[in-house]
């Protein structure tokens, strides 16, 4: 039985109403991969001609499903496609068994849906290092096939959860010269969040008609400014996968340079990324770190991540302690260029430190008031150039320890 965790205090009020995306059907099942009494497998079927793009973890120990998906991107789109996802077991660090298990699942899905095996994309999330009981998944394929229906995306969002305390979804509508297109996405992720590609598991669907050569660069680029800018605990998963499918069911063509579609996709991806942080294991604070005035954008990102990943910074935030010295420490250790005497730090709009020293007008109670808020902006100006970056994170509480200390038990 999966443990029931208290819903994050940063969770949205409810799961959003997501549009039905033409050309994709969903189904879920209880396969008992690890959890009992809850859905843990999701199947999505895509119509012929669908484009599938993706980004994945760059972990050196990435899972068999990740490696399999990477090989399949950009293949022949004439046939349909499918995405099969299980929670509870990541099928990572399982040697040849992992490869065989992945192939067993994708081959069975291909046979059930009359698809080429090369058009079946699989993902697994959960415990690392345990063999995937793939027979429990394949035994459910007849049930899944029979349940496929257009309106099942919300159920799919729940089936892919592990330590998540709420399902994550987001959507956008775009009106283009050729008509209106819809975008809807779901994600799972709560811990082991410091992606080096995208994040955790994310599935985004659109009824727009867009080719692989246009969609893949767009997905990769937007991932860099959304999912690659979040961190819960500085740990990159072996299984991080983002897949985006464009079914073309609307008949509305989208070219690579379409700014309106790009903006809508960015909105969906950023919303999902923020929801992952808001569901950070044990999180009680959502933190936005803005770094400006760096020697380069890359340096700004290095500084921002050093702050976001510092256990000392994160625990101070958890304790609502406006300990700005820990921000100074994180900047100094990051390895990127910094000058103590040019540094400015603000908690929200409160000027805390400038010119290498605490601001003469700063009062501790001002910083403490900001730290009591559920959403905390930390703004750093380095005074060295035009580089800037924004990173999102959460605090580090005892809840994180409790969840992860007994994760497998």
């Amino acid at each position: 039985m999966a443990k029931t965790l208290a819903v994050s205090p940063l969770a949205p009020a409810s799961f959003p109403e997501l549009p039905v995306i033409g050309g994709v059907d969903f189904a879920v099942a209880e396969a008992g991969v690890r959890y009992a009494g809850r859905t843990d497998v999701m199947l999505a079927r895509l119509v012929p001609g669908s484009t599938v793009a993706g980004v994945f973890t760059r972990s050196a120990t990435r899972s068999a499903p990740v490696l399999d998906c990477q090989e399949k991107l950009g293949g022949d789109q004439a046939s349909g496609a499918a995405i099969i996802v299980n929670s509870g077991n990541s099928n990572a660090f399982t040697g040849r068994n992992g490869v065989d298990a992945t192939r067993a699942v994708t081959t069975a899905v291909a046979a059930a849906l009359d698809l080429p095996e090369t058009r079946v994309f699989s993902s697994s999330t959960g415990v690392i290092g345990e063999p995937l009981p793939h027979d429990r998944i394949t035994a459910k394929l007849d049930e899944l096939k029979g349940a496929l229906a257009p309106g099942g995306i919300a159920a799919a969002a729940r089936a892919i959860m592990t330590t998540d305390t709420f399902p994550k979804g987001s959507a956008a509508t775009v009106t283009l010269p050729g008509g209106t297109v819809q975008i809807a996405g779901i994600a799972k992720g709560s811990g082991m969040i410091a992606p080096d590609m995208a994040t955790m598991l994310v599935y985004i669907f659109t009824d727009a008609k867009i080719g692989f050569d246009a969609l893949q660069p767009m997905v990769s680029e937007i991932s860099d400014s959304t999912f690659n800018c979040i961190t819960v605990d500085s740990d990159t998963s072996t299984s991080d996968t983002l897949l985006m499918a464009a079914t073309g069911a609307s008949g509305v063509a989208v070219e690579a340079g379409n700014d309106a579609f790009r903006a809508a996709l960015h909105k969906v991806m950023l919303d999902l990324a923020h929801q992952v942080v808001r569901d950070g294991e044990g999180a009680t604070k959502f933190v936005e770190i803005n770094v400006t005035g760096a020697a380069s954008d890359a340096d700004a990102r290095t500084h921002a991540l050093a702050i976001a990943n510092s256990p000392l910074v994160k625990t101070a935030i958890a304790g609502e302690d406006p300990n700005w010295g820990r921000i100074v420490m994180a900047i100094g250790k990051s390895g990127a260029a910094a000058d103590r005497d040019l540094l400015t730090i603000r908690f929200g709009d409160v000027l805390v430190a400038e010119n290498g020293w605490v601001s003469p007008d700063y009062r501790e109670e001002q910083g403490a008031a900001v730290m009591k808020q559920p959403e905390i902006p930390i703004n750093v100006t380095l005074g060295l150039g035009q580089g800037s970056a924004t990173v999102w994170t959460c605090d580090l509480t005892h809840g994180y320890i409790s969840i992860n200390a007994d994760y497998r038990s």
Side-chain angles (χ1 to χ4, degrees):
M1 177 72 69
K3 293 181 176 69
T4 300
L5 301 173
V7 176
S8 168
L10 304 171
S14 62
F15 189 80
E17 287 290 332
L18 300 184
V20 172
I21 304 296
V24 57
D25 296 330
F26 298 93
V28 301
E30 295 182 18
V33 173
R34 185 177 186 85
Y35 307 125
R38 54 152 285 188
T39 57
D40 60 353
V41 176
M42 178 275 278
L43 176 65
R45 178 177 61 190
L46 305 163
V47 295
S50 295
T51 300
V52 180
V55 283
F56 307 90
T57 181
R58 296 191 184 102
S59 167
T61 55
R62 55 195 181 275
S63 69
V66 168
L67 294 169
D68 186 59
C69 282
Q70 286 179 298
E71 291 179 359
K72 291 176 176 177
L73 289 184
D76 185 5
Q77 298 176 202
S79 65
I83 299 171
I84 181 86
V85 185
N86 75 267
S87 59
N89 183 308
S90 72
N91 195 18
F93 202 65
T94 47
R96 182 69 205 179
N97 179 278
V99 176
D100 292 342
T102 299
R103 182 55 58 87
V105 170
T106 58
T107 299
V109 171
L113 300 185
D114 194 22
L115 296 171
E117 190 275 336
T118 54
R119 290 285 281 169
V120 179
F121 301 86
S122 73
S123 301
S124 298
T125 181
V127 172
I128 294 171
E130 295 183 2
L132 178 69
H134 56 82
D135 56 318
R136 300 181 190 178
I137 300 171
T138 55
K140 290 289 181 176
L141 287 179
D142 286 343
E143 176 185 331
L144 287 163
K145 179 181 178 181
L148 284 165
I153 193 169
R158 290 177 176 84
I160 64 177
M161 293 166 53
T162 51
T163 59
D164 305 61
T165 69
F166 63 90
K168 301 162 184 68
S170 186
T173 300
V174 194
T175 301
L176 303 172
T180 299
V181 300
Q182 305 278 359
I183 304 172
I186 58 175
K188 67 81 51 182
S190 187
M192 204 181 287
I193 306 300
D196 187 15
M197 54 88 231
T199 188
M200 306 63 58
L201 298 183
V202 182
Y203 305 98
I204 302 173
F205 305 91
T206 180
D207 56 7
K209 185 177 182 180
I210 180 170
F212 180 80
D213 289 343
L215 185 60
Q216 181 61 53
M218 192 182 303
V219 170
S220 297
E221 179 184 329
I222 298 175
S223 291
D224 281 342
S225 60
T226 56
F227 293 117
N228 274 340
C229 291
I230 64 172
T231 179
V232 167
D233 48 20
S234 82
D235 287 330
T236 297
S237 170
T238 59
S239 307
D240 293 338
T241 296
L242 184 158
L243 292 173
M244 180 167 182
T247 68
S250 69
V252 179
V254 174
E255 303 299 330
N258 191 298
D259 291 337
F261 184 84
R262 180 185 295 270
L265 181 56
H266 184 276
K267 173 181 174 292
V268 169
M269 291 170 71
L270 185 61
D271 185 17
L272 291 172
H274 283 185
Q275 288 186 54
V276 169
V277 173
R278 291 178 181 279
D279 203 16
E281 290 170 338
T284 65
K285 308 284 187 182
F286 178 82
V287 186
E288 179 177 282
I289 299 168
N290 299 295
V291 175
T292 58
S296 66
D297 289 346
D299 272 12
R301 188 172 187 274
T302 296
H303 283 304
L305 286 172
I307 297 167
N309 286 325
S310 165
L312 289 176
V313 171
K314 293 163 76 71
T315 50
I317 293 170
E320 299 181 344
D321 177 11
N323 191 338
W324 56 272
R326 293 183 177 180
I327 307 296
V328 175
M329 172 279 300
I331 292 167
K333 74 164 187 176
S334 78
D339 185 328
R340 178 197 65 192
D341 296 334
L342 297 177
L343 193 61
T344 299
I345 299 171
R346 287 180 170 84
F347 292 152
D349 294 329
V350 176
L351 178 61
V352 177
E354 60 181 342
N355 302 322
W357 190 243
V358 64
S359 170
D361 297 325
Y362 175 65
R363 300 293 178 266
E364 185 82 355
E365 57 269 21
Q366 295 174 305
V370 175
M371 290 295 153
K372 291 183 183 301
Q373 300 171 2
E375 301 190 6
I376 299 171
I378 296 175
N379 302 307
V380 174
T381 301
L382 291 155
L384 297 176
Q386 302 301 313
S388 64
T390 300
V391 165
W392 296 273
T393 191
C394 58
D395 55 345
L396 180 60
T397 71
H398 195 278
Y400 182 87
I401 299 170
S402 299
I403 292 167
N404 285 284
D406 64 355
Y407 177 61
R408 295 193 305 160
S409 59

